[in-house]
Amino acid sequence: MILSAICFTKSGYEQMKKLKNICGQNQELELSCFCKCSALKEKCADDPDVRYVEYALDDWAKERFEEKDAILFIGAAGIAVRSVAGCVRSKLCDSPVIVMDDRARFVIPILSGHIGGANETAHMIADAMKAVPVITTSTDINNKFAIDLFAKKNELVIYNKDGIAKVSSKVLDCRAVDILIDTNLCRIDEKDAAMLEEKGIKIHLTENRDSEKKDFDVYIGKFVVSNGKPEINAKLYLLPKVYVLGIGCRRGKTKEEIGAFVTDVLKSLNIDKRQIRKIASVDIKKDEEGLLLFAEELNVPFETFTPDELNKIQGDFSESDFVMSKVGTGCVSERAAAAGSGSLFEADKSLVLRKQAENGITLAIAKSEWRLTSYE
């Protein structure tokens, strides 16, 4: 995680430098240092590790939000609040924001505690600086199950953020929470289910669903939306990122062309774009701009495989002698999707969509094995 720290006093500068030294030994945090104190401008000019901020603080904060950096304000909480006020949009996408006083006594996460990781980062900073972490999130201070943290740990996409508060309210009221899991997409081990049940979380599986129970607090899986309402009745919907796109294309295909084709196919399969885990292709396409930009737009990894790696994948694939002569493997999209899903043997069985072709682009989709854990 990249942590952008900014100080406003000499004492804050010293605490920031101390933290920078500690972070140099910590692979989990990469600290970028900034200063907004005119009395320290010359000192910053001689310090290669610290950049002096000449412009408005709210513009600096906006840049950090755009870069998705975590932010540490070493100073008053009021400065932090005023600086980020114009940037705050949603708990699903806001940067984590943390405040530490300039004597390093207290570390307080004030924004994006769970999903952004501010609470966890605050604990790391407090441990490093021998400070007191001040956590205000109800589920944390009451040692209760946090559904948004569960989603983050399991890389589940939150479909409707308003459902988080509804589920957390039941948890804090010590009422049981019912979670229905679509076993066509994900599994959970008995030990993890048991650990969750100890926390008042009742796990239901679609393969042996109680026909009498129609309402759930949380649904994890794929669903169809009809008339603006999902087919499963739940307070909160979580989408597992299980799908791998295998894509081949002619040189020069744009992000827009690839995106339009993929969007139409996903829509026909009722797959939400946010459920895409990665994009895969053959290594000759590793610098293909359209694919790189499309992966960046979806915020997913772009993974490539050599022809030899793809040819080792076992299964029945849609082979082409022409493609073999050009890239060294007879099928890019299907084999790349299967390889990206982690399948090696009978890998064609992981395919939920075999090769589709349009305007010089081929697409196949595979489903990766997905297991939920209690994150303990």
Side-chain angles (χ1 to χ4, degrees):
M1 173 184 284
I2 297 177
L3 177 65
S4 289
I6 188 164
C7 65
F8 310 95
T9 63
K10 180 181 178 182
S11 178
Y13 181 92
E14 292 169 353
Q15 300 298 345
M16 184 171 67
K17 291 291 289 184
K18 179 180 178 182
L19 182 60
K20 173 71 173 178
N21 182 57
I22 295 171
C23 286
Q25 307 162 29
N26 184 342
Q27 298 299 314
E28 294 185 75
L29 282 180
E30 179 183 338
L31 191 68
S32 296
C33 297
F34 298 84
C35 177
K36 183 68 172 170
C37 175
S38 57
L40 297 173
K41 187 173 182 179
E42 290 186 9
K43 189 176 184 69
C44 293
D46 295 329
D47 189 337
D49 291 330
V50 181
R51 284 172 279 177
Y52 186 77
V53 179
E54 297 274 7
Y55 48 97
L57 194 54
D58 53 351
D59 289 335
W60 176 86
K62 183 180 179 182
E63 290 178 357
R64 307 286 77 73
F65 266 67
E66 290 173 349
E67 294 295 325
K68 305 296 183 184
D69 291 355
I71 306 174
L72 172 64
F73 289 89
I74 304 177
I79 296 175
V81 171
R82 286 190 293 273
S83 300
V84 304
C87 306
V88 177
R89 294 290 178 268
S90 165
K91 69 188 306 175
L92 302 186
C93 61
D94 288 338
S95 289
V97 178
I98 303 158
V99 175
M100 181 174 75
D101 65 277
D102 68 6
R103 291 181 61 188
R105 294 180 301 176
F106 303 104
V107 182
I108 314 166
I110 62 172
L111 190 66
S112 203
H114 282 164
I115 297 173
N119 288 4
E120 184 179 1
T121 305
H123 277 291
M124 293 170 61
I125 295 170
D127 287 345
M129 302 297 286
K130 295 181 169 41
V132 177
V134 182
I135 309 299
T136 59
T137 311
S138 284
T139 49
D140 286 31
I141 62 176
N142 288 287
N143 194 30
K144 297 286 188 178
F145 174 79
I147 189 63
D148 49 354
L149 187 57
F150 173 80
K152 179 185 177 183
K153 294 286 187 180
N154 282 286
E155 296 183 76
L156 296 166
V157 176
I158 294 170
Y159 179 78
N160 59 319
K161 67 176 182 178
D162 58 302
I164 298 172
K166 296 175 183 177
V167 175
S168 296
S169 178
K170 287 195 71 173
V171 172
L172 293 169
D173 285 346
C174 298
R175 290 183 287 160
V177 171
D178 292 291
I179 297 181
L180 176 63
I181 298 174
D182 179 359
T183 51
N184 288 315
L185 290 188
C186 44
R187 301 279 177 177
I188 186 167
D189 293 331
E190 288 185 6
K191 69 176 184 63
D192 285 304
M195 290 177 70
L196 287 170
E197 294 211 14
E198 289 178 3
K199 295 176 177 288
I201 311 301
K202 175 66 176 175
I203 300 296
H204 305 263
L205 305 177
T206 53
E207 63 188 17
N208 56 4
R209 178 178 170 184
D210 181 353
S211 60
E212 297 300 316
K213 183 158 188 60
K214 301 188 183 300
D215 297 334
F216 295 89
D217 296 301
V218 182
Y219 175 67
I220 303 173
K222 179 182 174 184
F223 53 85
V224 176
V225 177
S226 178
N227 296 321
K229 186 177 181 181
E231 59 183 334
I232 303 292
N233 192 15
K235 295 181 178 69
L236 177 66
Y237 301 89
L238 302 177
L239 306 174
K241 299 183 71 169
V242 295
Y243 296 109
V244 177
L245 304 183
I247 303 179
C249 65
R250 287 203 302 260
R251 179 68 65 184
K253 284 296 171 180
T254 66
K255 177 192 74 172
E256 289 74 20
E257 290 176 303
I258 296 169
F261 179 39
V262 170
T263 297
D264 287 344
V265 172
L266 293 179
K267 185 176 180 180
S268 71
L269 297 172
N270 289 310
I271 295 176
D272 192 297
K273 277 185 180 181
R274 293 171 293 178
Q275 289 186 270
I276 304 307
R277 187 165 181 77
K278 69 173 71 168
I279 295 174
S281 191
V282 66
D283 66 352
I284 196 174
K285 294 296 178 183
K286 65 183 178 182
D287 297 320
E288 188 70 43
E289 184 177 18
L291 287 173
L292 289 168
L293 291 175
F294 183 55
E296 183 180 337
E297 181 180 284
L298 293 183
N299 194 29
V300 298
F302 177 48
E303 184 175 11
T304 60
F305 300 89
T306 66
D308 284 346
E309 289 173 326
L310 294 180
N311 290 332
K312 288 177 183 177
I313 302 295
Q314 297 183 15
D316 181 19
F317 298 105
S318 307
E319 305 289 343
S320 163
D321 291 338
F322 175 76
V323 175
M324 172 64 80
S325 69
K326 291 294 183 181
V327 299
T329 183
C331 181
V332 172
S333 58
E334 291 181 4
R335 287 184 176 276
S341 73
S343 301
L344 292 174
F345 305 104
E346 296 187 311
D348 54 318
K349 292 183 179 179
S350 70
L351 296 174
V352 297
L353 178 76
R354 287 193 171 270
K355 181 176 74 174
Q356 303 289 305
E358 180 179 287
N359 192 27
I361 306 168
T362 59
L363 169 69
I365 304 175
K367 179 171 68 70
S368 57
E369 177 71 17
W370 191 254
R371 289 190 177 274
L372 297 167
T373 74
S374 63
Y375 72 83
E376 291 288 333

